[in-house]
Amino acid sequence: MSKFDNRKVMPRYSVIAIVMTLAAVAVIGKTIYTMTAGKAYWMEVAASQKKDSVTVKPTRGNILSCDGQLMASSLPEFKVYMDFNALKNAGNDTAFIDSINYISKGLNDIFPEKPAAYFKQHLMEGYHKESKHWAIWNKRIDYNTFKEIQSLPIFHLKKYQSGFHYDEFNARRRPFGSLAQRTVGDMFGAKDTARCGLELSYDSILRGTNGIIHRRKVRNKFLDITDTPPIDGADIVTTIDVSMQDLAERALIDELNEINGNVGVAIVMEVATGDVKAIVNMDKCSDGKYREVKNHAVSDLLEPGSVFKTASIMTVLDDGLVDTMYTVQTGGGVWNMYGRDMKDHNWTRGGYGTLTLPWTLKYSSNVGVSRIIDLHYHKNPEKFVQGIYDLGLATDLHIPIVGYSPAKIRMPHKNRRGQYDNWSATALPWMSIGYETQIPPISTLTFYNAIANGGKMMRPRFVKQVVKNGEVIYDNPPQVIKERIAKESTIKDITRILTEVVSEGLGRKAGSDKFQVAGKTGTAQMSKGALGYKSGNINYLLSFAGFFPADNPRYSCIVCIQKTGLPASGGGMSGVVFHHIAEGIMAQNLKLSVTDACDSSSILIPSAKTGNLLATDYVLTALGFNVTNGWSGAYPFGNPVWGTTRKSGKSLTFQKEEAFKDNLVPNVHGMGARDAVYLMEKRGIRVSLTGRGRVIGQSLSPGDRIKKGMKCTLVLG
């Protein structure tokens, strides 16, 4: 008899089968529900566990000076927030309440402008509102400040435990402040988009290419998986020389303050290459301060005035219609030309009488220049204007700065009846002295630079190279616009005349007793459009354009100043700025041998200040001194190595010191001003200096903890 009892087993089997069937039906029902009614919810859950096609921004490239100094660079900045909802879900809300006093005191130490009570009230307000994005501080902060906040109680925990989170930005910073601001350019910080200058012109090169990542949650952690890595932007090396830029800016601002000018422009160009070494644009703002607001140097289309007379005389010389012995009658300083009086600046004193051609430029005689041109081109003004075109003044220079406008010099045009439809009898005389034309300062300087360069016109160059990871990926060599703007004899004659303008004529204040200067003054009334030239107060454009040293030109320069009312003198005002710029540049280029300072019996072992040993080693090596444990001057621009220099007999030895901690006041005793200020301001301490020499005292004690807003007075002696 079988032991299998069908009556007992079958009911049990039926129950199991029914249960399994019901479970299967439930699973299928749940699946159908999930795929239909619950689809939106579960898609939202899935989306919270991943994120596809997240854009990763690359690091923007740097803008460098001609010698590799940073003029614009990208630095990380942060805005910090609290997610109090996440804090409570993680169960750390009690710990937050217990630590609120410590957190508030820590924030007060970091941001001393607000008391601890403010931070406590502010954070508790966000806590009670259960805000998910409560700003801890309403401004962007730098990396060091961010790390200080992140180290505070609760904030140091992971994001989903503390609720502490942040937004990171690529902030654009200029180490030299406003120096060459409109040329280097600006960024719209919030949008991270270029606004003007080289930042905008070379945006595609500097910006780089965005990367793509996707995020997945694995074991309760979000992992970033790179699909396409970002490609950082390349660096551009400009032609700007920081020291020349600073020199030109200070010289221009000093004169603008002295004469109460409205606008000032100064440009320095290297003769052989056309490299723009300095470009300054200053506007007087409502608070009386001068700032760079607009790039007048490349965008201002103004009547240039008497600096244009050089081109007029060159044209008539080059056409062979006159020579340097040619004479012209200027009368008593007033000459009626087709119903309008042409006046010289000294007409009230009787004028200049008879002048030779060179003296019309030396005295900047309006009557003399306009009569010479009118006598030889009145019946054929097209030939004169074509001569101006041939000199390159109307050439489109293709300046890589947004806002640039090429010069506008109109060509006479005849209608079908042979009559001029855009010309009058007075157009030629007034054009010859710098009116009836619109020329930006950069075009005028390019013309004078061509004279200095023996007639070869160079295109103004602002960017020399594009560099990526230390390698040159694009080289922008100097470009020749015109091989020769005039005959060799014309260039020699005009160079001699321009030299005499400075040595004997109205441009004396632009000259120097150390080297020869060649150039031309300009003083022009500025048109007010439909209101003409003389409505209300008269505005003047004061200019001086030239080059130096005249016998072997290295640099050309133009200075333009706009001011209201008299006195107004191109030579006496713009010429003074030119003088300071020229002498400053030549002094910077003056190099003397250390051996000239001692005789054959001298034993000279120099003393060196405490500070950056790399810079010290570079200088000592350049002077011919060897340091036993130095670098042979090979790394002058590396990261600083701090220490002292010791003398032992006839040898020098470096003694390195431990690196200063970023959160402590450094000891700068014995250092020069440059290293001391660098170390202090790198840590956010504002510095004021008194005296000269080495640091012999500092108002903050070395080793004190640094607080935001600290100030330190350094005494030098």
Side-chain angles (χ1 to χ4, degrees):
M1 181 177 177
S2 173
K3 294 182 179 181
F4 180 77
D5 190 343
N6 190 54
R7 287 176 299 175
K8 293 181 178 180
V9 173
M10 288 306 294
R12 296 174 183 173
Y13 174 78
S14 299
V15 171
I16 293 171
I18 292 171
V19 170
M20 292 181 68
T21 301
L22 291 174
V25 171
V27 169
I28 294 171
K30 184 66 173 177
T31 302
I32 294 172
Y33 175 80
T34 301
M35 294 173 64
T36 54
K39 180 179 180 180
Y41 170 77
W42 288 109
M43 290 296 290
E44 185 178 343
V45 171
S48 68
Q49 308 300 308
K50 68 175 184 177
K51 198 166 186 180
D52 294 324
S53 300
V54 177
T55 299
V56 180
K57 289 187 176 181
T59 301
R60 190 174 180 85
N62 301 318
I63 298 179
L64 308 172
S65 68
C66 63
D67 57 355
Q69 298 186 68
L70 279 174
M71 300 195 74
S73 183
S74 293
L75 298 174
E77 283 189 345
F78 304 85
K79 288 197 75 172
V80 289
Y81 305 92
M82 274 295 290
D83 181 351
F84 291 105
N85 194 41
L87 178 74
K88 292 181 179 181
N89 290 339
N92 287 323
D93 50 336
T94 302
F96 174 78
I97 297 298
D98 293 340
S99 303
I100 187 65
N101 290 328
Y102 296 102
I103 296 173
S104 301
K105 181 61 172 64
L107 291 172
N108 168 245
D109 289 339
I110 298 169
F111 305 110
E113 54 265 44
K114 295 290 185 180
Y118 165 83
F119 287 108
K120 182 176 181 179
Q121 178 185 357
H122 177 68
L123 291 174
M124 290 307 297
E125 180 183 351
Y127 175 82
H128 291 306
K129 290 181 178 180
E130 296 187 4
S131 173
K132 294 183 178 181
H133 201 60
W134 189 258
I136 298 172
W137 185 248
N138 60 357
K139 298 178 182 177
R140 291 187 184 183
I141 57 177
D142 59 30
Y143 179 76
N144 290 334
T145 306
F146 167 74
K147 296 304 289 186
E148 286 188 68
I149 295 177
Q150 197 177 37
S151 66
L152 294 175
I154 303 299
F155 296 167
H156 71 280
L157 300 175
K158 295 178 181 178
K159 175 181 177 181
Y160 292 100
Q161 293 178 324
S162 66
F164 177 81
H165 60 286
Y166 57 88
D167 290 335
E168 184 174 351
F169 302 88
N170 241 346
R172 202 66 169 166
R173 291 291 175 262
R174 290 189 299 271
F176 292 101
S178 62
L179 211 63
Q181 178 176 337
R182 291 300 298 188
T183 302
V184 172
D186 283 323
M187 301 284 291
F188 290 107
K191 299 179 180 179
D192 191 30
T193 55
R195 178 184 174 193
C196 61
L198 297 177
E199 291 276 20
L200 180 58
S201 301
Y202 288 84
D203 183 60
S204 60
I205 293 172
L206 293 165
R207 178 174 293 279
T209 305
N210 290 341
I212 301 294
I213 65 171
H214 65 272
R215 292 173 180 167
R216 294 292 183 268
K217 192 172 185 181
V218 180
R219 294 184 178 181
N220 237 14
K221 293 182 179 179
F222 279 97
L223 299 180
D224 290 341
I225 303 170
T226 302
D227 298 321
T228 305
I231 301 174
D232 292 339
D235 302 336
I236 61 172
V237 181
T238 70
T239 59
I240 301 295
D241 184 296
V242 173
S243 60
M244 291 188 192
Q245 179 74 30
D246 181 54
L247 172 65
E249 186 171 306
R250 287 186 286 109
L252 182 60
I253 290 177
D254 287 347
E255 185 65 19
L256 287 171
N257 281 318
E258 182 74 21
I259 67 173
N260 192 29
N262 303 323
V263 176
V265 170
I267 317 171
V268 178
M269 186 180 291
E270 191 173 66
V271 169
T273 62
D275 286 358
V276 176
K277 310 304 289 185
I279 178 168
V280 185
N281 301 273
M282 288 295 161
D283 283 86
K284 188 173 185 178
C285 299
S286 57
D287 60 359
K289 302 289 185 181
Y290 290 96
R291 300 184 182 89
E292 292 217 341
V293 177
K294 178 184 177 184
N295 207 319
H296 298 276
V298 302
S299 62
D300 275 3
L301 289 175
L302 300 174
E303 294 171 316
S306 295
V307 292
F308 187 86
K309 291 175 182 175
T310 303
S312 297
I313 296 300
M314 281 186 69
T315 298
V316 72
L317 281 172
D318 211 48
D319 285 342
L321 301 176
V322 297
D323 58 24
T324 55
M325 300 303 295
Y326 184 85
T327 60
V328 61
Q329 293 292 329
T330 66
V334 181
W335 200 280
N336 187 276
M337 305 195 76
Y338 310 104
R340 290 180 62 187
D341 282 342
M342 177 72 73
K343 295 180 179 180
D344 279 337
H345 65 91
N346 70 335
W347 67 277
T348 57
R349 299 192 298 274
Y352 290 115
T354 302
L355 290 176
T356 61
L357 182 139
W359 282 99
T360 61
L361 284 185
K362 293 178 190 178
Y363 288 147
S364 197
S365 170
N366 292 334
V367 175
V369 173
S370 61
R371 287 208 66 218
I372 291 173
I373 300 303
D374 188 64
L375 286 169
H376 293 91
Y377 294 101
H378 180 73
K379 294 181 179 180
N380 189 9
E382 297 95 329
K383 185 177 181 182
F384 172 77
V385 177
Q386 185 59 52
I388 297 297
Y389 282 15
D390 292 341
L391 292 176
L393 269 168
T395 302
D396 188 344
L397 302 176
H398 298 287
I399 301 297
I401 295 177
V402 175
Y404 161 71
S405 299
K408 295 181 179 180
I409 303 174
R410 60 191 167 107
M411 176 66 76
H413 179 266
K414 291 182 177 179
N415 58 26
R416 295 177 181 178
R417 296 187 298 273
Q419 298 173 330
Y420 290 109
D421 53 15
N422 67 337
W423 204 255
S424 66
T426 59
L428 182 63
W430 263 262
M431 177 182 282
S432 69
I433 62 170
Y435 294 92
E436 303 275 345
T437 62
Q438 293 178 310
I439 304 175
I442 190 73
S443 293
T444 302
L445 178 60
T446 302
F447 163 65
Y448 275 85
N449 192 80
I451 298 173
N453 202 24
K456 182 185 290 187
M457 179 171 281
M458 306 300 297
R459 189 183 307 282
R461 185 169 65 153
F462 287 83
V463 173
K464 295 196 297 185
Q465 294 174 328
V466 177
V467 179
K468 186 71 174 288
N469 299 324
E471 295 184 4
V472 178
I473 60 176
Y474 172 71
D475 197 13
N476 181 29
Q479 298 179 35
V480 179
I481 300 175
K482 285 179 174 286
E483 282 292 342
R484 185 166 294 279
I485 63 171
K487 298 173 184 174
E488 185 177 353
S489 59
T490 303
I491 297 297
K492 288 182 178 179
D493 287 340
I494 203 69
T495 299
R496 185 179 70 255
I497 294 172
L498 292 178
T499 304
E500 293 171 355
V501 168
V502 177
S503 62
E504 304 173 22
L506 298 181
R508 287 188 181 91
K509 289 191 176 181
S512 171
D513 58 359
K514 302 173 182 65
F515 51 89
Q516 282 190 320
V517 172
K520 181 69 184 74
T521 62
T523 305
Q525 293 184 23
M526 295 176 61
S527 172
K528 297 181 180 179
L531 298 178
Y533 291 90
K534 297 184 179 180
S535 60
N537 292 327
I538 300 176
N539 290 334
Y540 292 92
L541 175 64
L542 317 175
S543 307
F544 188 91
F547 46 89
F548 56 92
D551 52 348
N552 184 23
R554 296 175 59 187
Y555 298 101
S556 60
C557 176
I558 187 171
V559 178
C560 301
I561 295 175
Q562 298 175 31
K563 76 178 296 285
T564 301
L566 297 172
S569 168
M573 295 175 179
S574 294
V576 170
V577 180
F578 184 101
H579 163 81
H580 291 311
I581 293 174
E583 287 212 329
I585 290 175
M586 294 303 291
Q588 289 176 354
N589 285 271
L590 182 64
K591 294 183 179 179
L592 299 176
S593 173
V594 71
T595 57
D596 296 338
C598 59
D599 57 39
S600 58
S601 61
S602 299
I603 300 175
L604 179 61
I605 300 295
S607 60
K609 298 182 178 74
T610 301
N612 182 4
L613 296 180
L614 287 174
T616 304
D617 181 70
Y618 178 66
V619 173
L620 290 173
T621 302
L623 293 175
F625 297 99
N626 294 321
V627 182
T628 56
N629 59 342
W631 296 269
S632 299
Y635 304 100
F637 304 112
N639 292 325
V641 177
W642 303 103
T644 59
T645 306
R646 300 182 183 278
K647 291 188 288 185
S648 178
K650 296 183 179 180
S651 64
L652 296 165
T653 306
F654 286 150
Q655 179 67 44
K656 298 180 185 178
E657 294 181 351
E658 291 186 12
F660 303 102
K661 293 184 178 179
D662 289 342
N663 61 342
L664 301 179
V665 176
N667 181 5
V668 296
H669 283 85
M671 293 187 182
R674 178 176 179 175
D675 287 340
V677 171
Y678 171 80
L679 282 172
M680 288 288 186
E681 295 199 343
K682 183 182 179 183
R683 290 161 173 77
I685 302 173
R686 296 181 63 185
V687 177
S688 61
L689 301 172
T690 59
R692 300 174 67 181
R694 304 169 187 255
V695 177
I696 60 175
Q698 59 184 89
S699 60
L700 297 179
S701 299
D704 285 357
R705 181 178 175 82
I706 294 175
K707 297 181 180 179
K708 193 172 183 68
M710 270 187 165
K711 298 180 179 179
C712 181
T713 300
L714 300 180
V715 181
L716 309 180

